[in-house]
Amino acid sequence: MQFTMNELDPATRYKLLVNTVTPRPIAWVLSEDGEGRRNAAPYSFFNAMGGTPPLVAIGMSADGQREGMAEKDSLANIRAKGEFAVALVSEGQAEAMNVSATDAPPEVSEFDLAGLEATRASLVAAPLLVGAPVQFECRLWQFIETGPNAGIVLAEVIVTHIEDRFLGEEDGRLRIDNPAMQLIGRTYGAGEYVRNAAPLHMDRVSWSDLSRD
């Protein structure tokens, strides 16, 4: 069966994407408004887009919970300040992340709501999250508007923070213990998440190996 996307209603288009493009990592976007109020909100239309420059992309829709499909607090803060942070979500912080996804009014800090502890970033005007295994300090690189109060945030990663316990060295090379981070992502179905466990390993095949067969 095929679906012509522009013939479908928005909810059906969204369902087709989120139930097939899986798993999706979660960007727990940490930002601050002009009055210093801290915001934390998860977005799963997210991924890394390259290493030079080091870019991440986050898709942000309008806030359908508010009248008139208003701009989400995260996007408003990013537009205003041009800076924010992204924390990756561990299993231990999954419930707090879920609480922070609620449709709280702008004057309510999700840090307070979810019992999160904040600390200052080193180079950008944004909070960091105590206990997150990995965090990125980001500056807005480009905003691609896709609709009213919606778009794709392309951001350059200025600083990467990884907790020391996940780092090591082998033969003089940096090693990152990703499985130990116990990161989670979004998968199909409402409220469904996936653990970053039981990976499938396949060595990359070179053309020289294939051409000898």
Side-chain angles (χ1 to χ4, degrees):
M1 186 173 185
Q2 72 177 31
F3 300 89
T4 303
M5 299 298 264
N6 64 7
E7 295 176 355
L8 305 175
D9 61 275
T12 302
R13 291 196 296 265
Y14 178 83
K15 185 174 186 177
L16 289 173
L17 290 173
V18 300
N19 282 275
T20 55
V21 183
T22 61
R24 300 188 308 280
I26 301 169
W28 206 353
V29 176
L30 314 171
S31 62
E32 200 171 75
D33 68 13
E35 298 181 22
R37 292 177 297 205
R38 293 163 174 161
N39 181 272
Y43 295 85
S44 67
F45 286 153
F46 161 68
N47 220 311
M49 293 292 113
T52 306
L55 298 177
V56 294
I58 307 168
M60 295 185 171
S61 59
D63 193 342
Q65 303 292 330
R66 296 181 189 163
E67 186 176 353
M69 299 291 285
E71 188 173 60
K72 288 188 174 177
D73 297 337
S74 298
L75 182 53
N77 294 345
I78 291 169
R79 284 196 203 244
K81 291 200 168 185
E83 298 180 335
F84 64 102
V86 167
L88 301 184
V89 184
S90 68
E91 290 184 38
Q93 292 182 316
E95 290 189 13
M97 177 277 298
N98 193 41
V99 170
S100 75
T102 190
D103 55 334
E107 66 272 13
V108 173
S109 170
E110 288 85 0
F111 276 83
D112 297 334
L113 195 66
L116 303 171
E117 184 180 351
T119 186
R120 296 303 308 178
S122 58
L123 293 183
V124 304
L128 294 180
L129 179 59
V130 173
V134 182
Q135 301 186 81
F136 307 114
E137 297 185 29
C138 301
R139 287 194 179 128
L140 182 62
W141 194 71
Q142 185 179 356
F143 179 68
I144 303 169
E145 188 171 2
T146 58
N149 298 321
I152 299 168
V153 171
L154 280 175
E156 183 175 3
V157 176
I158 305 300
V159 181
T160 296
H161 300 263
I162 303 177
E163 289 199 339
D164 291 346
R165 60 196 174 102
F166 302 123
L167 299 175
E169 187 176 303
E170 184 179 323
D171 298 328
R173 299 176 63 186
L174 175 67
R175 295 295 182 186
I176 301 171
D177 190 353
N178 179 276
M181 297 177 186
Q182 296 185 310
L183 301 176
I184 64 169
R186 285 304 308 269
T187 188
Y188 60 88
E192 296 295 326
Y193 293 82
V194 62
R195 292 182 172 93
N196 190 16
L200 171 67
H201 177 84
M202 290 188 290
D203 291 324
R204 187 167 183 174
V205 180
S206 69
W207 170 246
S208 58
D209 290 335
L210 290 173
S211 60
R212 284 199 299 267
D213 294 342

